[in-house]
Amino acid sequence: MKALTRHRKLSAIWKSEQGFKGWFSTVNHTDLGRLFLVTAFFFFLVGGLLAMLIRAQLATPHSAFAGPDIYNQLFTMHGTIMMFLFAIPTFEGLAIYLLPKILGTRDLAFPRLTAYGYWCYVFGGMMLLVSMVLGIAPDGGWFMYPPLTGPIYSPGINTDFWLIGITFVEISAIAAAVEITVSILKFRAPGMTLARLPIFAWYALVTSLMILTGFPPLIVGSVLLEVERAFGFPFFQAELGGDSLLWQHLFWLFGHPEVYIIFLPAAGVISMVLPVMCRTTLLGYGWVVASVVALAFLSFGLWVHHMFATGIPHMGLAFFSAASTLVAVPTSVQVFAWIGTMWKGRPELHLPMLHILGFFVTFIIGGLTGVMVAVVPFDWQAHDTAFVTAHLHYVLFGGFVFPILAGIYYWLPQVTGRQGYFHLGRLAFSLIFIGFHVTFLAMHWVGLLGQRRRISTYAPDDGWSVINLISSIGSFVLAIGIAVVILDAILHALSPRKARRNLWNAGTLEWAMMTPPPAYNFASLPEITSRNPLSANPRLATELARGHGYLGTPRKNQRETLMVDAASGRPEVLVVYPGNTRLPIMVSAVTGLFFLSVLIKVYWIAPIAVAGVAALALRWVWETGSKNDIDRQPVGQGINLPPASQAGRPPGWWGSLFLLIANATFFGSLLFGFVFLWTIAPGWPPPVWIDASVVELGSGLLAGIISVLAIHVAIRTKRAGGSAIAALVIALLATLGLAICCGTLMWRTPEPTDHAYAATLFVLGSYGLFHALLAALMVGHLIARVLRGYTSGERWGEFAIVGLWVDYIAIVVALVLLVGHLSGWVT
């Protein structure tokens, strides 16, 4: 088959619908990555506009530009948009677009999940923008500390927009993290071992795992605060056994890892682009990977350094201060690796390199001020001043925006297939670099002079007027620089000059394809023998276009790729992707209906929305699989592989595994909240404890054991080719028994509005009830699949997926029942 014929056939199989309608049905990672990035930069512009309004207000003393109420909304929405709607989605968009291309595959693991995550992001973000347009935007700061944001001091709907909108957006982040993690581990070119992974893939993998374990604590906090506001459960009210510090712990358990979740992808861009700009390879690849993993672990032990002024015991202050200083070590390893890479290479000052140098200067200053605020006595003086705001911006803008701009200029020719013409990039860099440092060096200065953060005005006698004016002027120069970047990118895309295929002479796989890239990425999948395959084989692009790799012959109008062994990259199964569908946007819209019903307090709609999500989810999974056993299929290079439907651990098993990691973190955060309130909060013991029941506890534990045994008997029976219906029915009844035990626990819990003990116990019971019903739904769906012929002795992967969920749910329900009943016995 000729290369042009192969291209036309693959394009027909993989293409999205043409025109505007295609946005709503596409599941192609290239389309969705672009949509993510464009949407994220739209929110970046909105957040930047809010920043200009903030600086306009602070430019002069006693400014009447914005009143205190509007100003509170401005700085709250600025922080919220930049952190939740720009930084994280930009990483998601870049990873979704880039990863299949650098991993040598045709798409991500779960294309429909990518689309679902994107539309959750759009709907959640628009919810927040609507609140701003209506003048009822969140106004309690992007960190939403109670009791200020509780029902007593913030009775309006402003705070609810933040709690519900951000939770909606974080569903998108969790979906993307599952997608990225499974894709890096299981969807790579054959032969790409972990030691041959492109360095950006390591950064993306670690970042995704951090999202899965870092975001659930904030989701827990948001749920608890919204339940307190809506139903009066006193989680954060000290007089009723709650504690507002619980929110700070949950928030910063997310918030400090969030800093590194933002920084690490940007550092990954540096590690990808810098060696190409220096005409060499990355120095210390293994050390860099180790430092990234170490940084991820350390980041979860630093959250209390945001709480040094809250009365933490001295031993705790010493520990977290030392840990906050220690985190500089793995960061320094990466910085020295980058410096060594420049030293051994021949740096060329192209636009990406200019932004990398801007990153070095800015991020090192931010890191040094970070070490300063890690020292407790200094932190006590600088806490809640403009110094901390300036430090945050040096870390986040210097550590994220400059590398992302370097990445934009590096990959723009790959995305557009065009070469820049007007050369506005150097002017833009100069404006951004000068404007940023003028703005935030001045903010450091005024913070040391005592200006508090989040103030809407100040007096002329404070001595801050000139510094604030300088800072505001710098911010407008910075804004002009960003505008020039956007103009330059648009002109680049419209340029008549076509870029050659590998403009930068890079060695990674994204340059071994046509530009702009086709919907299928690679006409055939490569066999990887080097960390820089294009450098090792300059003819690789031509060989792949001619079909010399894997899956070089299109067949049956199927979107095909390979799933490989996680460690060795050995091909395991043939994966066939679903086609274009509007199902993801439908599911996300019904999900949004649930959040909207909670927001506007029309609670009778919520169960309808949940039922709608369940029905659409069942349709989602029903469309997968096969009713017939399929012979091993030739995939090229003399290898025959079974389809994914006949794998013992299909892609859905891996997705479930990492989703359950996030779920377990959520549950662990709930348990942490329960223990924290019991041991730390004032107002304990509660006036009434639950009456422990041996029968109820024993029944729940027995039901959990039966459900686990039954589902594993079903798995063994199906693998042996027998009928598993009887074991599945027993598992179904056992999971319903778990639901009854959790419901009984909730029913017998004391009035949850009277004390935080009852409130947390009720929420734990609700968690157990929801998951027990979810397990029953999954087992019931599996029974239907068995009856319709979707499983056999060869096709038993769905049993493994359901078994994974039943095992987890049996464990967490047992823990819920133990916590509830043991608390009654202990007292």
Side-chain angles (χ1 to χ4, degrees):
M1 184 184 297
K2 293 184 178 180
L4 182 58
T5 303
R6 179 177 295 103
H7 165 68
R8 287 172 176 169
K9 288 188 175 182
L10 286 169
S11 296
I13 293 170
W14 287 83
K15 69 179 180 181
S16 302
E17 291 184 53
Q18 297 296 316
F20 178 73
K21 293 181 179 180
W23 296 4
F24 304 105
S25 63
T26 184
V27 293
N28 183 271
H29 81 98
T30 298
D31 295 336
L32 290 166
R34 290 169 177 167
L35 287 172
F36 255 109
L37 289 170
V38 170
T39 307
F41 273 86
F42 165 74
F43 283 116
F44 179 61
L45 293 180
V46 174
L49 177 61
L50 296 177
M52 295 171 68
L53 297 178
I54 292 170
R55 290 313 317 172
Q57 170 68 16
L58 295 177
T60 56
H62 293 319
S63 174
F65 181 76
D69 292 339
I70 296 299
Y71 185 80
N72 290 344
Q73 294 185 28
L74 291 178
F75 74 73
T76 298
M77 287 298 295
H78 167 70
T80 299
I81 288 173
M82 290 303 195
M83 297 293 281
F84 296 102
L85 302 182
F86 165 63
I88 299 300
T90 298
F91 156 65
E92 294 166 5
L94 182 62
I96 288 168
Y97 177 85
L98 195 60
L99 279 174
K101 295 174 174 57
I102 65 175
L103 295 176
T105 188
R106 285 176 174 165
D107 211 324
L108 295 168
F110 311 107
R112 293 181 297 177
L113 184 63
T114 309
Y116 171 73
Y118 171 72
W119 291 111
C120 285
Y121 164 51
V122 170
F123 294 150
M126 294 309 295
M127 187 181 294
L128 289 166
L129 290 190
V130 167
S131 73
M132 191 166 57
V133 171
L134 297 178
I136 50 176
D139 55 0
W142 74 276
F143 36 78
M144 285 286 146
Y145 282 177
L148 175 63
T149 54
I152 298 174
Y153 299 102
S154 296
I157 200 173
N158 305 58
T159 300
D160 299 303
F161 268 108
W162 191 96
L163 296 171
I164 293 170
I166 291 304
T167 302
F168 197 4
V169 169
E170 287 183 341
I171 291 176
S172 169
I174 296 294
V178 171
E179 177 81 272
I180 292 167
T181 303
V182 177
S183 297
I184 293 172
L185 291 177
K186 300 297 293 182
F187 286 74
R188 311 195 299 264
M192 184 177 283
T193 64
L194 291 177
R196 294 170 184 162
L197 274 181
I199 191 65
F200 180 80
W202 274 111
Y203 280 94
L205 175 62
V206 172
T207 302
S208 297
L209 291 172
M210 291 178 70
I211 289 175
L212 293 176
T213 51
F215 275 43
L218 178 60
I219 298 175
V220 169
S222 300
V223 170
L224 296 183
L225 185 52
E226 180 59 30
V227 169
E228 177 176 298
R229 292 175 55 83
F231 304 111
F233 289 26
F235 302 107
F236 307 106
Q237 298 178 32
E239 65 276 13
L240 295 176
D243 194 335
S244 58
L245 281 183
L246 173 60
W247 170 270
Q248 292 200 36
H249 280 289
L250 291 173
F251 183 87
W252 291 116
L253 275 168
F254 146 82
H256 198 81
E258 161 87 342
V259 173
Y260 299 97
I261 288 170
I262 291 172
F263 164 68
L264 285 178
V269 172
I270 298 292
S271 295
M272 282 283 285
V273 176
L274 181 64
V276 179
M277 294 295 106
C278 296
R279 298 292 172 257
T280 186
T281 56
L282 179 67
L283 180 69
Y285 173 96
W287 285 97
V288 171
V289 172
S291 70
V292 172
V293 175
L295 191 60
F297 276 104
L298 287 173
S299 70
F300 284 94
L302 309 179
W303 81 95
V304 174
H305 88 205
H306 295 272
M307 303 169 61
F308 282 165
T310 61
I312 301 295
H314 286 179
M315 182 63 74
L317 291 176
F319 172 82
F320 285 102
S321 178
S324 301
T325 306
L326 182 64
V327 78
V329 175
T331 306
S332 299
V333 170
Q334 295 174 69
V335 171
F336 281 112
W338 295 329
I339 294 173
T341 300
M342 290 189 290
W343 183 265
K344 78 167 187 173
R346 294 180 294 105
E348 298 179 358
L349 288 181
H350 299 293
L351 264 177
M353 190 65 188
L354 287 178
H355 285 282
I356 290 174
L357 294 177
F359 154 79
F360 277 126
V361 173
T362 308
F363 186 74
I364 289 174
I365 294 174
L368 292 174
T369 57
V371 173
M372 293 170 67
V373 297
V375 178
V376 176
F378 181 86
D379 182 81
W380 281 346
Q381 302 302 316
H383 186 75
D384 263 349
T385 68
F387 185 93
V388 176
T389 306
H391 157 69
L392 177 69
H393 283 80
Y394 261 85
V395 171
L396 294 183
F397 197 101
F400 185 76
V401 176
F402 275 120
I404 289 300
L405 292 176
I408 287 174
Y409 280 109
Y410 178 73
W411 280 299
L412 201 55
Q414 200 275 346
V415 175
T416 64
R418 303 289 173 174
Q419 190 169 346
Y421 184 77
F422 289 98
H423 305 295
L424 296 175
R426 294 180 182 272
L427 171 63
F429 168 75
S430 301
L431 292 172
I432 292 171
F433 186 81
I434 294 171
F436 175 83
H437 285 279
V438 169
T439 301
F440 293 103
L441 280 176
M443 197 175 291
H444 278 107
W445 182 12
V446 78
L448 291 175
L449 292 178
Q451 179 176 311
R452 314 303 295 174
R453 46 194 312 203
R454 300 184 293 276
I455 60 171
S456 62
T457 188
Y458 54 92
D461 297 339
D462 292 331
W464 306 331
S465 304
V466 174
I467 305 174
N468 272 307
L469 180 60
I470 292 172
S471 181
S472 296
I473 292 171
S475 71
F476 280 83
V477 173
L478 170 61
I480 293 171
I482 295 295
V484 174
V485 167
I486 294 172
L487 177 62
D488 192 32
I490 294 172
L491 293 175
H492 182 113
L494 299 176
S495 170
R497 296 175 60 189
K498 291 187 176 181
R500 59 186 175 90
R501 175 173 288 182
N502 190 359
L503 182 65
W504 305 108
N505 296 318
T508 45
L509 287 172
E510 77 271 26
W511 300 102
M513 62 181 67
M514 294 185 293
T515 58
Y520 56 85
N521 287 343
F522 300 96
S524 59
L525 304 186
E527 175 78 31
I528 302 302
T529 58
S530 166
R531 198 175 291 155
N532 293 285
L534 197 53
S535 298
N537 180 10
R539 292 183 51 79
L540 180 62
T542 302
E543 292 174 1
L544 296 180
R546 291 175 176 174
H548 294 174
Y550 294 86
L551 300 177
T553 303
R555 57 188 168 191
K556 302 178 184 176
N557 293 322
Q558 292 181 338
R559 300 182 176 188
E560 296 177 325
T561 195
L562 299 179
M563 191 169 78
V564 301
D565 176 72
S568 67
R570 173 178 48 82
E572 288 184 333
V573 297
L574 174 66
V575 176
V576 178
Y577 288 124
N580 299 319
T581 174
R582 288 178 171 79
L583 192 57
I585 191 173
M586 293 168 59
V587 179
S588 61
V590 179
T591 307
L593 178 64
F594 169 81
F595 286 105
L596 183 63
S597 67
V598 175
L599 175 65
I600 63 177
K601 309 295 190 278
V602 185
Y603 296 115
W604 62 268
I605 297 178
I608 298 175
V610 171
V613 170
L616 290 171
L618 290 175
R619 178 184 170 188
W620 183 307
V621 296
W622 191 266
E623 294 177 354
T624 61
S626 171
K627 289 187 177 183
N628 300 301
D629 293 340
I630 301 173
D631 294 333
R632 288 174 171 261
Q633 300 292 307
V635 297
Q637 310 299 315
I639 296 176
N640 297 327
L641 294 178
S645 61
Q646 294 173 203
R649 291 181 176 177
W653 188 93
W654 290 95
S656 295
L657 175 65
F658 290 104
L659 183 58
L660 287 175
I661 289 174
N663 202 333
T665 308
F666 182 97
F667 180 63
S669 301
L670 279 178
L671 291 180
F672 166 80
F674 184 80
V675 174
F676 176 84
L677 292 178
W678 189 319
T679 56
I680 301 297
W684 285 66
V688 181
W689 298 89
I690 190 171
D691 292 327
S693 169
V694 177
V695 174
E696 186 179 309
L697 176 60
S699 300
L701 296 178
L702 180 62
I705 293 172
I706 292 174
S707 66
V708 171
L709 292 176
I711 195 67
H712 284 279
V713 168
I715 293 173
R716 293 181 62 182
T717 303
K718 179 52 65 175
R719 292 188 66 178
S723 174
I725 291 296
L728 289 176
V729 170
I730 294 173
L732 175 61
L733 294 175
T735 54
L736 291 175
L738 289 174
I740 292 172
C741 291
C742 289
T744 305
L745 177 70
M746 295 169 61
W747 180 265
R748 298 194 310 104
T749 297
E751 176 56 46
T753 58
D754 291 344
H755 196 271
Y757 163 72
T760 50
L761 202 57
F762 189 88
V763 170
L764 283 170
S766 302
Y767 178 91
L769 175 63
F770 173 80
H771 282 79
L773 292 175
L774 177 61
L777 181 65
M778 296 179 75
V779 175
H781 175 264
L782 182 57
I783 292 173
R785 297 277 288 184
V786 172
L787 294 175
R788 294 297 297 271
Y790 281 96
T791 63
S792 70
E794 295 290 331
R795 291 172 281 118
W796 58 274
E798 295 181 41
F799 280 77
I801 296 171
V802 176
L804 190 64
W805 280 89
V806 170
D807 290 346
Y808 170 80
I809 290 167
I811 292 171
V812 297
V813 170
L815 289 174
V816 167
L817 295 174
L818 284 170
V819 167
H821 291 281
L822 289 179
S823 67
W825 277 321
V826 167
T827 55

